[in-house]
């Protein structure tokens, strides 16, 4: 039996991942790294690349979670699958709450993260 909630969470997670990499590169990482700093951590070319890659690896990690959710939507693995779904759901709920609080609701991602987390916990019930 396919879980529509998990497939929806997986698709939304992939969408968030794509938007995170694309908009983040265009509006944050690219402009930040275009500035030639005279002092500080960003003066190092190596650390500038670490920052860029860490940004995009976050999106890749979310995509990996989406693949797990999609797989579990098609073939749940008993209690272990349920625990994985709950773990991913709680992780996204924490993402959402942290972004909501730290940005004072100005960041666009918090609603998506809360929805992803809620869909996961709904599917695990």
């Amino acid at each position: 039996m396919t879980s529509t909630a998990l497939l929806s969470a997986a698709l939304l997670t992939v969408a968030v991942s794509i938007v995170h990499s694309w908009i983040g590169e265009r509006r944050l990482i690219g402009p930040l790294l275009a500035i030639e700093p005279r002092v500080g951590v960003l003066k190092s070319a190596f650390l500038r690349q670490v920052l860029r890659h860490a940004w995009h690896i976050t999106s890749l990690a979310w995509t990996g979670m989406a693949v797990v959710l999609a797989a579990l939507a098609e073939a749940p693995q008993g209690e272990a699958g349920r625990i994985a779904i709950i773990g991913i759901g709680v992780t996204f709920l924490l993402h959402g709450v942290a972004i909501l609080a730290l940005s004072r609701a100005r960041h666009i991602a918090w609603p998506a993260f809360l929805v992803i987390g809620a869909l996961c916990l709904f599917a695990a019930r």
Side-chain angles (χ1 to χ4, degrees), residues 31-72:
L32 181 66
L33 297 181
I35 301 167
E36 282 298 324
R38 298 189 195 314
V39 295
V41 173
L42 292 181
K43 186 175 181 182
S44 163
F46 171 73
L47 293 178
R48 292 162 68 85
Q49 287 305 308
V50 167
L51 178 62
R52 171 170 274 136
H53 290 100
W55 184 269
H56 294 293
I57 285 171
T58 302
S59 297
L60 186 61
W62 291 334
T63 301
M65 285 189 222
V67 169
V68 171
L69 292 174
L72 290 169

Side-chain angles (χ1 to χ4, degrees), residues 11-26:
L11 289 172
L12 184 55
T13 300
V14 170
V16 167
S17 298
I18 292 168
V19 169
H20 179 264
S21 272
W22 181 54
I23 291 179
E25 182 65 38
R26 290 190 58 186

